[in-house]
Amino acid sequence: MLPTFVFIHGWGQAAQTWHAQMAYFGARHQVLAVDLPGHGGASDVPLEAWDQALLAKLPDEPVVLVGWSLGGMLALRLAATHAARLAGMVLLSTTPSFRLRSGWEHGCADEVFERFQESLEANAPRLLDRFFALMLQGDELDRKQFVGIVRTAVDRRRAASMAGLRCGLQLLDELDLRAVLPDISLPTLVLHGQADAVTPVGAAHDLAEQMPAATLNIMQAGHAPHLTQTDKFNQLLEEWCQNNISTLAR
């Protein structure tokens, strides 16, 4: 029997983004989709308490963490500090460093990030709408498909708080996890869209090269394959878990 799948969303989103995975995997396995602090109705907590808030939501037994974008970065950090709580990890559209840094070319430039911060303070709802559209770039979606994804994947009833958005953006600004990658020996699936307009695909190649037990799969997709290519994403995730996790979890 596979361990519990715990799904962690990205910046500005909510647990609702995993609705298709909850339906698919929930019929076969134990599943849990968590809301990050200040997202999806979850309470705000100080930035330094985000890891503990996330750990408090995990079952006692080791889980498979499925982290998307910022959620994947937080999964990486937990893998480095609390490996015993994890049986495996799936990193979707994830990067060890969202920002450009010395020796790291797969990040966001200073001027782009600063404009993003300014837009958040000026008009957060508009920025979130624009950011969601950017995440779906790279997939050939018509207007009806795009609207359908927005309707089912965005939690309009419980918008992210400004404190949650600011904390998440601060994490994207500050986190640099490159140094811990060689020490993470958990079975890891690195899934990334070739046409990702948010986190360059080069970040996925680096993750797979640096992590000793990582498997890389590049999809012809943008930043949100779990939304735009749901069936393929679900099948890839299930097959990888059956081949890499099930025997370890028994």
Side-chain angles (χ1 to χ4, degrees):
M1 179 141 183
L2 287 171
T4 301
F5 290 5
V6 178
F7 295 90
I8 311 172
H9 64 80
W11 182 84
Q13 307 308 305
Q16 186 170 321
T17 192
W18 302 110
H19 65 93
Q21 286 69 48
M22 296 296 287
Y24 180 85
F25 291 104
R28 301 162 170 79
H29 313 292
Q30 294 294 317
V31 295
L32 175 66
V34 300
D35 285 303
L36 294 175
H39 292 69
S43 299
D44 289 310
V45 301
L47 184 60
E48 60 271 17
W50 272 46
D51 278 1
Q52 287 303 318
L54 185 53
L55 283 168
K57 296 182 179 183
L58 301 185
D60 291 335
E61 70 277 5
V63 302
V64 175
L65 281 186
V66 184
W68 173 40
S69 198
L70 174 60
M73 298 180 78
L74 294 172
L76 271 173
R77 190 161 70 170
L78 290 184
T81 57
H82 294 81
R85 302 290 301 273
L86 279 63
M89 185 166 52
V90 178
L91 302 176
L92 174 62
S93 309
T94 299
T95 174
S97 171
F98 187 76
R99 297 294 306 273
L100 282 176
R101 304 183 196 278
S102 176
W104 181 251
E105 62 183 13
H106 310 301
C108 179
D110 290 350
E111 59 272 18
V112 175
F113 193 83
E114 289 166 5
R115 286 200 302 270
F116 203 85
Q117 290 176 310
E118 293 168 359
S119 296
L120 175 63
E121 299 301 326
N123 192 331
R126 183 181 178 188
L127 173 64
L128 289 172
D129 287 343
R130 289 168 50 202
F131 184 59
F132 197 89
L134 181 65
M135 292 192 297
L136 300 190
Q137 281 187 18
D139 288 272
E140 296 182 358
L141 303 173
D142 59 30
R143 180 63 181 171
K144 182 177 180 181
Q145 290 171 317
F146 179 87
V147 171
I149 290 173
V150 172
R151 184 178 296 119
T152 56
V154 177
D155 191 342
R156 295 291 188 186
R157 298 169 302 160
R158 297 172 296 185
S161 69
M162 279 300 295
L165 292 171
R166 288 178 181 131
C167 283
L169 207 57
Q170 186 175 342
L171 285 169
L172 291 174
D173 184 20
E174 296 177 355
L175 280 178
D176 183 0
L177 300 162
R178 289 175 292 167
V180 305
L181 299 181
D183 298 324
I184 298 176
S185 58
L186 286 166
T188 301
L189 173 61
V190 179
L191 268 172
H192 215 98
Q194 179 66 41
D196 193 326
V198 178
T199 53
V201 68
H205 288 281
D206 188 83
L207 284 172
E209 290 170 4
Q210 296 298 320
M211 300 175 71
T215 301
L216 177 65
N217 193 300
I218 303 298
M219 299 177 65
Q220 297 304 311
H223 190 64
H226 67 295
L227 296 175
T228 60
Q229 299 186 34
T230 300
D231 291 344
K232 183 175 182 180
F233 172 82
N234 290 347
Q235 290 164 8
L236 286 171
L237 175 52
E238 184 162 47
E239 289 172 4
W240 177 82
C241 285
Q242 292 288 356
N243 292 332
N244 295 273
I245 301 296
S246 57
T247 56
L248 300 177
R250 287 174 185 152

